Amino acid sequence: MNSTWLRRFTTTAAQGPILVCFPHAGGSATAFKNLARILHPDVDVVSVQYPGRQDRYREEPFTALAPLAEAVTEELARELVSDGRPYALFGHSMGALVAFETARLLARRQLPAPQRVFFSGRGGPDLRDSAYDLYDDADMLAEVRRLGGTDQSMLEDPDILELVLPALRADYRILGTYRGPVGGPLTAPVTALIGDSDPVATVEDAHTWREHTTGDFQVEVFPGGHFYLFDQLGQVAAAVTEGLLTRAAAS
């Protein structure tokens, strides 16, 4: 499952469920490279590559969530139908919203529901973000520095900034203009994952995902801030593996 939109970072494809990962604002598919390598070998990890970054940097990035989710859904639906295996979604921060809207669009196509959806680093879609769409570059970079998760030396390199700023501006516009879902909840089981010292999303915020599924709901809390998952790879991998494999076997 390698395409314009999807990247696989393991050398050998697993035969178990497919875990589709959605990066954060300003992030790329490689954000999940290390998680892919540490997860249970039966989990086949692929990561979404949004336009406007890395090998897609010449492409215009999306500035609204709905068309981005529609484009991902179009690609993913084709891959899932041809593959036939069960799948799950994992979205971090902005990626949680993209994963949520993608899951809703897949349901409208009457495709099988995800085995589980993992929403990381943010509260439910009804919670409004800051007016990120009004941020100038200085505000945006200050926020990126505050949250961490990015090599700070990259932010001081004018050549690198020239490459990453268009995608970052587009992603912050997505966050600032998203107005939440219209329609019913998901039917898939949901796990919300959160860092206990995240400066933009609290443990209480993570619990608001409960309102957006009729399935089983779990909250997993980890030490760390907004990018806790980079520092807690082993614990995150264990939570994902347990959610995908152990609970699936018990169902």
Side-chain angles (χ1 to χ4, degrees):
M1 192 185 285
N2 281 301
S3 68
T4 301
W5 282 92
L6 302 171
R7 303 285 183 275
R8 177 183 278 123
F9 295 113
T10 50
T11 55
T12 303
Q15 298 304 308
I18 302 165
L19 180 67
V20 184
C21 298
F22 296 75
H24 56 282
S28 63
T30 52
F32 295 99
K33 189 174 183 178
N34 290 333
L35 181 62
R37 290 175 173 172
I38 199 174
L39 265 168
H40 191 286
D42 285 344
V43 180
D44 187 12
V45 182
V46 297
S47 189
V48 176
Q49 185 76 299
Y50 307 136
R53 57 214 80 200
Q54 291 188 334
D55 56 333
R56 302 188 71 184
Y57 80 95
R58 294 184 184 276
E59 300 177 48
E60 194 70 23
F62 284 83
T63 58
L65 197 145
L68 174 57
E70 287 168 4
V72 175
T73 300
E74 184 70 27
E75 179 72 17
L76 197 54
R78 181 165 51 249
E79 296 283 358
L80 293 173
V81 167
S82 65
D83 189 284
R85 281 181 290 163
Y87 70 98
L89 308 178
F90 186 113
H92 180 68
S93 197
M94 183 189 85
L97 295 180
V98 185
F100 174 71
E101 291 295 347
T102 298
R104 285 160 47 82
L105 290 171
L106 289 168
R108 289 180 197 170
R109 291 175 178 238
Q110 299 184 325
L111 289 170
Q115 188 172 325
R116 182 166 288 269
V117 185
F118 299 88
F119 296 123
S120 169
R122 71 161 292 126
D126 291 332
L127 299 181
R128 289 290 304 277
D129 282 304
S130 300
Y132 289 131
D133 52 316
L134 302 180
Y135 277 26
D136 61 19
D137 288 354
D139 294 331
M140 206 166 47
L141 292 173
E143 180 72 356
V144 170
R145 290 186 179 96
R146 182 173 77 98
L147 296 180
T150 300
D151 183 349
Q152 298 299 304
S153 64
M154 294 173 56
L155 303 179
E156 309 303 327
D157 187 319
D159 293 330
I160 294 178
L161 277 181
E162 185 178 353
L163 293 176
V164 302
L165 275 175
L168 195 59
R169 292 184 193 111
D171 290 351
Y172 269 60
R173 180 162 181 79
I174 286 174
L175 290 171
T177 57
Y178 179 69
R179 292 296 178 264
V182 176
L186 303 177
T187 60
V190 164
T191 298
L193 306 93
I194 194 77
D196 61 6
S197 56
D198 191 324
V200 293
T202 65
V203 173
E204 182 180 18
D205 291 340
H207 280 272
T208 64
W209 284 107
R210 165 74 276 184
E211 305 303 315
H212 298 281
T213 180
T214 59
D216 173 59
F217 179 72
Q218 306 286 332
V219 174
E220 300 280 355
V221 182
F222 302 88
H226 191 61
F227 288 100
Y228 72 91
L229 70 169
F230 295 157
D231 299 320
Q232 307 295 335
L233 277 175
Q235 291 186 48
V236 173
V240 171
T241 300
E242 196 270 340
L244 282 179
L245 302 179
T246 305
R247 288 171 189 152
S251 62

